[in-house]
Amino acid sequence: MSSEDLAVKDAEQTIDEVLARYSSCSKNGLTSAQASAKLEEDGPNELHKPPKPTLLMLFIMQLLGFIIILLIIAAVASMVVNATGSKASDPLSYTTGIAIFVIVLINAGIAAWTEHKAGDALEALSKMSQASIFVIRDGKEVSVATNSVVRGDIVVLGTGDVVPADMRLSESEDLKVSEMALTGEPDDVAKTWKLKPKKEGETEKLTPEVCVFSGCNVTNGKGRGVVCATGMMTRIGRIAQLIAGEEGPKKTCGCLPDTSANQTPLQKNLEKLGARIGVLAIV
């Protein structure tokens, strides 16, 4: 089940139903044994980061585009024709081929650098957390590492905390969070644990007011909630999946990673258009 489905399902249920589904208790939380078992089952509460391509690898990948290969072939053909012609001894006859090579290399360098810097977005997402958080385990409030938080944990939130996972609130007192990382909304969003009946014709909100989400900062008040999703199953994890590509890193040409999954629709359309123009030019 996706993170959006989990949030919608938990937002539509009472807190008692949510607690029962995750075998948790609002007062005592999980036992240490339960937490260990769930951590073993779900893995650590952190975003998976695929290996980042080196700048040299990105540069080489830029030279494998269809249009770029055509330009390189054209440059080589131009230089070969001039080298075997009557002006073989004239350095100026090689200007066209050299100019094409220089433009291709400059373009590949700029594109590789731009993609290298854009790859830092996933690293930034993984840093949207804090080292530890307070949870209720074995009936006691204890501090645990954020990456050891599991589904069913009762997390205690206060002003300044970063929400460690997607949660359904069980208590709230003047609680507000910043959801800019998820929705782009600059204003703080008020949250409540109380489930309100949906009015007819009311538009559905991007984030339910009874839920808080991983990576969001608590800007006011305090609250408690039960963890519903961790790691890559959170909404911020879904964003990380989109950045890294749905199926994770793949290989192309034997050793180079395939970044086609990260291309925008505009990039894909421009690549197809360039290939068609190249084919028509040859014909």
Side-chain angles (χ1 to χ4, degrees), residues 45 47 124-130 146 157 160-167 177-182 212-219 229 231 234-237 239:
N45 176 35
L47 301 183
L125 284 178
S126 66
K127 291 180 179 179
M128 292 174 58
S129 62
Q130 61 191 47
T146 302
L157 297 174
D161 284 336
V162 179
V163 182
D166 289 0
M167 299 163 47
V177 299
S178 171
E179 295 184 339
M180 186 179 293
L182 289 179
V212 290
F213 297 92
S214 177
C216 296
N217 293 291
V218 179
T219 58
T234 62
R235 288 202 177 185
I236 205 74
I239 295 174

Side-chain angles (χ1 to χ4, degrees), residues 26-209:
S26 60
K27 182 179 179 181
N28 298 320
L30 297 174
T31 64
S32 298
Q34 284 178 309
S36 297
K38 290 191 177 186
L39 184 61
E40 182 72 23
E41 179 184 351
D42 298 337
N45 176 35
E46 57 190 16
L47 301 183
H48 300 158
K49 294 180 288 185
K52 189 177 179 180
T54 63
L55 190 59
L56 175 61
M57 193 175 291
L58 290 173
F59 178 78
I60 295 173
M61 288 164 59
Q62 302 303 320
L63 300 177
L64 299 179
F66 183 75
I67 291 297
I68 298 299
I69 292 175
L70 285 182
L71 288 173
I72 292 174
I73 293 174
V76 172
S78 173
M79 297 180 73
V80 169
V81 168
N82 288 316
T84 56
S86 58
K87 297 182 178 180
S89 59
D90 184 7
L92 294 178
S93 64
Y94 302 99
T95 303
T96 300
I98 294 174
I100 293 175
F101 269 123
V102 171
I103 292 172
V104 165
L105 292 176
I106 292 175
N107 175 75
I110 294 174
W113 177 253
T114 303
E115 190 169 339
H116 178 72
K117 298 301 292 183
D120 293 338
L122 184 56
E123 187 70 26
L125 284 178
S126 66
K127 291 180 179 179
M128 292 174 58
S129 62
Q130 61 191 47
S132 61
I133 196 74
F134 284 99
V135 301
I136 307 297
R137 285 189 184 170
D138 299 314
K140 299 177 182 179
E141 185 174 317
V142 295
S143 176
V144 301
T146 302
N147 62 4
S148 67
V149 171
V150 298
R151 290 179 299 116
D153 261 331
I154 303 299
V155 175
V156 181
L157 297 174
T159 302
D161 284 336
V162 179
V163 182
D166 289 0
M167 299 163 47
R168 167 67 159 86
L169 291 172
S170 58
E171 297 179 20
S172 62
E173 186 176 325
D174 298 325
L175 184 64
K176 290 184 179 181
V177 299
S178 171
E179 295 184 339
M180 186 179 293
L182 289 179
T183 64
E185 174 61 49
D187 298 327
D188 296 340
V189 181
K191 296 292 182 176
T192 179
W193 69 274
K194 297 178 181 179
L195 189 61
K196 298 178 181 178
K198 188 176 180 180
K199 298 178 182 178
E200 187 176 352
E202 184 180 6
T203 57
E204 188 173 342
K205 297 181 180 180
L206 290 174
T207 56
E209 61 181 1

Side-chain angles (χ1 to χ4, degrees), residues 50-51 244-245 247-251 257-258:
E247 300 176 3
K250 296 180 288 185
K251 298 288 181 180
D258 180 11

